PDB file of all heavy atoms in Angstrom:
ATOM      1  N   ARG A   3      14.855   0.773  -4.942  1.00 29.00           N
ATOM      2  CA  ARG A   3      16.116   0.399  -4.344  1.00 29.00           C
ATOM      3  C   ARG A   3      16.849  -0.455  -5.314  1.00 29.00           C
ATOM      4  O   ARG A   3      17.475  -1.400  -4.970  1.00 29.00           O
ATOM      5  CB  ARG A   3      15.843  -0.395  -3.100  1.00 29.00           C
ATOM      6  CG  ARG A   3      14.754  -1.406  -3.447  1.00 29.00           C
ATOM      7  CD  ARG A   3      13.636  -1.200  -2.579  1.00 29.00           C
ATOM      8  NE  ARG A   3      12.499  -0.806  -3.302  1.00 29.00           N
ATOM      9  CZ  ARG A   3      11.542  -1.655  -3.590  1.00 29.00           C
ATOM     10  NH1 ARG A   3      11.633  -2.868  -3.262  1.00 29.00           N
ATOM     11  NH2 ARG A   3      10.492  -1.230  -4.189  1.00 29.00           N
ATOM     12  N   GLY A  56      15.683  -5.264  -3.298  1.00 71.00           N
ATOM     13  CA  GLY A  56      14.323  -4.876  -2.928  1.00 71.00           C
ATOM     14  C   GLY A  56      14.300  -4.557  -1.441  1.00 71.00           C
ATOM     15  O   GLY A  56      15.329  -4.567  -0.767  1.00 71.00           O
ATOM     16  N   GLY A  57      13.138  -4.264  -0.973  1.00 69.00           N
ATOM     17  CA  GLY A  57      13.017  -3.960   0.435  1.00 69.00           C
ATOM     18  C   GLY A  57      13.253  -5.193   1.281  1.00 69.00           C
ATOM     19  O   GLY A  57      13.542  -5.112   2.466  1.00 69.00           O
ATOM     20  N   PHE A  58      13.102  -6.340   0.693  1.00 70.00           N
ATOM     21  CA  PHE A  58      13.173  -7.566   1.477  1.00 70.00           C
ATOM     22  C   PHE A  58      14.278  -8.512   1.038  1.00 70.00           C
ATOM     23  O   PHE A  58      14.719  -9.341   1.814  1.00 70.00           O
ATOM     24  CB  PHE A  58      11.847  -8.313   1.364  1.00 70.00           C
ATOM     25  CG  PHE A  58      10.670  -7.468   1.708  1.00 70.00           C
ATOM     26  CD1 PHE A  58       9.702  -7.187   0.772  1.00 70.00           C
ATOM     27  CD2 PHE A  58      10.553  -6.932   2.982  1.00 70.00           C
ATOM     28  CE1 PHE A  58       8.609  -6.399   1.102  1.00 70.00           C
ATOM     29  CE2 PHE A  58       9.460  -6.147   3.316  1.00 70.00           C
ATOM     30  CZ  PHE A  58       8.492  -5.874   2.368  1.00 70.00           C
ATOM     31  N   ILE A  61      18.249  -9.368  -5.700  1.00 93.00           N
ATOM     32  CA  ILE A  61      18.013 -10.042  -6.972  1.00 93.00           C
ATOM     33  C   ILE A  61      19.318 -10.104  -7.751  1.00 93.00           C
ATOM     34  O   ILE A  61      20.005  -9.091  -7.924  1.00 93.00           O
ATOM     35  CB  ILE A  61      16.927  -9.311  -7.778  1.00 93.00           C
ATOM     36  CG1 ILE A  61      15.577  -9.593  -7.111  1.00 93.00           C
ATOM     37  CG2 ILE A  61      16.852  -9.809  -9.211  1.00 93.00           C
ATOM     38  CD1 ILE A  61      14.837  -8.435  -6.709  1.00 93.00           C
ATOM     39  N   LYS A  77      15.967 -14.509  -6.966  1.00 94.00           N
ATOM     40  CA  LYS A  77      15.570 -13.625  -5.869  1.00 94.00           C
ATOM     41  C   LYS A  77      15.743 -14.410  -4.581  1.00 94.00           C
ATOM     42  O   LYS A  77      15.227 -15.524  -4.454  1.00 94.00           O
ATOM     43  CB  LYS A  77      14.111 -13.200  -6.065  1.00 94.00           C
ATOM     44  CG  LYS A  77      13.650 -12.107  -5.132  1.00 94.00           C
ATOM     45  CD  LYS A  77      12.298 -11.556  -5.582  1.00 94.00           C
ATOM     46  CE  LYS A  77      11.773 -10.524  -4.613  1.00 94.00           C
ATOM     47  NZ  LYS A  77      10.461 -10.017  -5.010  1.00 94.00           N
ATOM     48  N   PRO A 138      12.436 -15.555 -15.085  1.00 95.00           N
ATOM     49  CA  PRO A 138      13.079 -14.960 -16.258  1.00 95.00           C
ATOM     50  C   PRO A 138      13.586 -13.560 -15.930  1.00 95.00           C
ATOM     51  O   PRO A 138      13.034 -12.871 -15.066  1.00 95.00           O
ATOM     52  CB  PRO A 138      11.941 -14.870 -17.285  1.00 95.00           C
ATOM     53  CG  PRO A 138      10.883 -15.757 -16.797  1.00 95.00           C
ATOM     54  CD  PRO A 138      11.015 -15.843 -15.320  1.00 95.00           C
ATOM     55  N   TYR A 140      14.130  -9.728 -16.756  1.00 96.00           N
ATOM     56  CA  TYR A 140      13.542  -8.649 -17.553  1.00 96.00           C
ATOM     57  C   TYR A 140      14.482  -7.458 -17.563  1.00 96.00           C
ATOM     58  O   TYR A 140      15.576  -7.488 -16.988  1.00 96.00           O
ATOM     59  CB  TYR A 140      12.155  -8.279 -17.002  1.00 96.00           C
ATOM     60  CG  TYR A 140      11.221  -9.464 -16.990  1.00 96.00           C
ATOM     61  CD1 TYR A 140      10.771 -10.016 -15.789  1.00 96.00           C
ATOM     62  CD2 TYR A 140      10.821 -10.070 -18.182  1.00 96.00           C
ATOM     63  CE1 TYR A 140       9.939 -11.123 -15.779  1.00 96.00           C
ATOM     64  CE2 TYR A 140       9.983 -11.184 -18.181  1.00 96.00           C
ATOM     65  CZ  TYR A 140       9.551 -11.701 -16.974  1.00 96.00           C
ATOM     66  OH  TYR A 140       8.734 -12.810 -16.964  1.00 96.00           O
ATOM     67  N   ASP A 143      13.078  -1.123 -15.148  1.00 95.00           N
ATOM     68  CA  ASP A 143      11.747  -0.833 -14.629  1.00 95.00           C
ATOM     69  C   ASP A 143      11.359   0.588 -15.026  1.00 95.00           C
ATOM     70  O   ASP A 143      12.190   1.379 -15.483  1.00 95.00           O
ATOM     71  CB  ASP A 143      11.657  -1.090 -13.127  1.00 95.00           C
ATOM     72  CG  ASP A 143      12.511  -0.158 -12.306  1.00 95.00           C
ATOM     73  OD1 ASP A 143      12.323   1.071 -12.428  1.00 95.00           O
ATOM     74  OD2 ASP A 143      13.371  -0.639 -11.552  1.00 95.00           O
ATOM     75  N   ALA A 187       8.175   0.881 -10.094  1.00 95.00           N
ATOM     76  CA  ALA A 187       9.331   0.051  -9.748  1.00 95.00           C
ATOM     77  C   ALA A 187       9.048  -1.432  -9.914  1.00 95.00           C
ATOM     78  O   ALA A 187       9.974  -2.240  -9.992  1.00 95.00           O
ATOM     79  CB  ALA A 187       9.768   0.322  -8.309  1.00 95.00           C
ATOM     80  N   ASN A 188       7.777  -1.779  -9.969  1.00 96.00           N
ATOM     81  CA  ASN A 188       7.408  -3.192 -10.121  1.00 96.00           C
ATOM     82  C   ASN A 188       6.974  -3.526 -11.541  1.00 96.00           C
ATOM     83  O   ASN A 188       6.394  -4.582 -11.779  1.00 96.00           O
ATOM     84  CB  ASN A 188       6.293  -3.566  -9.130  1.00 96.00           C
ATOM     85  CG  ASN A 188       6.824  -3.698  -7.705  1.00 96.00           C
ATOM     86  OD1 ASN A 188       8.030  -3.843  -7.502  1.00 96.00           O
ATOM     87  ND2 ASN A 188       5.933  -3.641  -6.727  1.00 96.00           N
ATOM     88  N   ASP A 205       6.997  -8.728  -8.519  1.00 93.00           N
ATOM     89  CA  ASP A 205       6.863  -8.572  -7.069  1.00 93.00           C
ATOM     90  C   ASP A 205       5.477  -8.968  -6.559  1.00 93.00           C
ATOM     91  O   ASP A 205       4.591  -8.131  -6.392  1.00 93.00           O
ATOM     92  CB  ASP A 205       7.206  -7.140  -6.642  1.00 93.00           C
ATOM     93  CG  ASP A 205       7.420  -7.075  -5.136  1.00 93.00           C
ATOM     94  OD1 ASP A 205       7.189  -8.097  -4.459  1.00 93.00           O
ATOM     95  OD2 ASP A 205       7.828  -6.011  -4.632  1.00 93.00           O
ATOM     96  N   ARG A 495       8.556  -0.015   6.024  1.00 33.00           N
ATOM     97  CA  ARG A 495       9.835   0.387   5.484  1.00 33.00           C
ATOM     98  C   ARG A 495       9.645   1.775   4.937  1.00 33.00           C
ATOM     99  O   ARG A 495       8.663   2.042   4.251  1.00 33.00           O
ATOM    100  CB  ARG A 495      10.264  -0.542   4.348  1.00 33.00           C
ATOM    101  CG  ARG A 495      10.715  -1.869   4.829  1.00 33.00           C
ATOM    102  CD  ARG A 495      11.110  -2.712   3.676  1.00 33.00           C
ATOM    103  NE  ARG A 495       9.966  -2.998   2.842  1.00 33.00           N
ATOM    104  CZ  ARG A 495      10.031  -3.092   1.542  1.00 33.00           C
ATOM    105  NH1 ARG A 495      11.142  -2.880   0.917  1.00 33.00           N
ATOM    106  NH2 ARG A 495       8.969  -3.378   0.854  1.00 33.00           N
TER     107      ARG A 495
HETATM  108  N1  ATP B   1      12.851 -10.681 -13.138  1.00 71.76           N
HETATM  109  C1  ATP B   1      13.578  -9.578 -12.983  1.00 71.76           C
HETATM  110  N2  ATP B   1      14.436  -9.177 -13.933  1.00 71.76           N
HETATM  111  C2  ATP B   1      15.179  -8.062 -13.805  1.00 71.76           C
HETATM  112  N3  ATP B   1      15.132  -7.262 -12.736  1.00 71.76           N
HETATM  113  C3  ATP B   1      14.292  -7.602 -11.742  1.00 71.76           C
HETATM  114  C4  ATP B   1      13.473  -8.773 -11.806  1.00 71.76           C
HETATM  115  N4  ATP B   1      12.748  -8.839 -10.679  1.00 71.76           N
HETATM  116  C5  ATP B   1      13.075  -7.774  -9.965  1.00 71.76           C
HETATM  117  N5  ATP B   1      14.000  -7.009 -10.573  1.00 71.76           N
HETATM  118  C6  ATP B   1      14.606  -5.752 -10.108  1.00 71.76           C
HETATM  119  O1  ATP B   1      14.745  -5.790  -8.719  1.00 71.76           O
HETATM  120  C7  ATP B   1      13.955  -4.767  -8.099  1.00 71.76           C
HETATM  121  C8  ATP B   1      13.366  -5.294  -6.829  1.00 71.76           C
HETATM  122  O2  ATP B   1      12.575  -6.411  -7.139  1.00 71.76           O
HETATM  123  P1  ATP B   1      11.284  -6.766  -6.310  1.00 71.76           P
HETATM  124  O3  ATP B   1      10.357  -5.599  -6.362  1.00 71.76           O
HETATM  125  O4  ATP B   1      10.759  -8.069  -6.803  1.00 71.76           O
HETATM  126  O5  ATP B   1      11.934  -6.932  -4.868  1.00 71.76           O
HETATM  127  P2  ATP B   1      11.264  -6.719  -3.468  1.00 71.76           P
HETATM  128  O6  ATP B   1      12.281  -7.051  -2.444  1.00 71.76           O
HETATM  129  O7  ATP B   1      10.010  -7.494  -3.406  1.00 71.76           O
HETATM  130  O8  ATP B   1      10.997  -5.180  -3.516  1.00 71.76           O
HETATM  131  P3  ATP B   1       9.832  -4.285  -2.899  1.00 71.76           P
HETATM  132  O9  ATP B   1      10.542  -3.445  -1.932  1.00 71.76           O
HETATM  133  O10 ATP B   1       9.275  -3.496  -4.068  1.00 71.76           O
HETATM  134  O11 ATP B   1       8.827  -5.187  -2.322  1.00 71.76           O
HETATM  135  C9  ATP B   1      12.906  -4.383  -9.135  1.00 71.76           C
HETATM  136  O12 ATP B   1      12.485  -3.027  -8.988  1.00 71.76           O
HETATM  137  C10 ATP B   1      13.656  -4.615 -10.431  1.00 71.76           C
HETATM  138  O13 ATP B   1      14.394  -3.471 -10.780  1.00 71.76           O
END
Side-chain angles (χ1 to χ4, degrees):
R3 45 238 116 101
F58 307 117
I61 287 123
K77 190 168 176 182
Y140 302 113
D143 66 57
N188 285 342
D205 195 354
R495 286 180 295 144

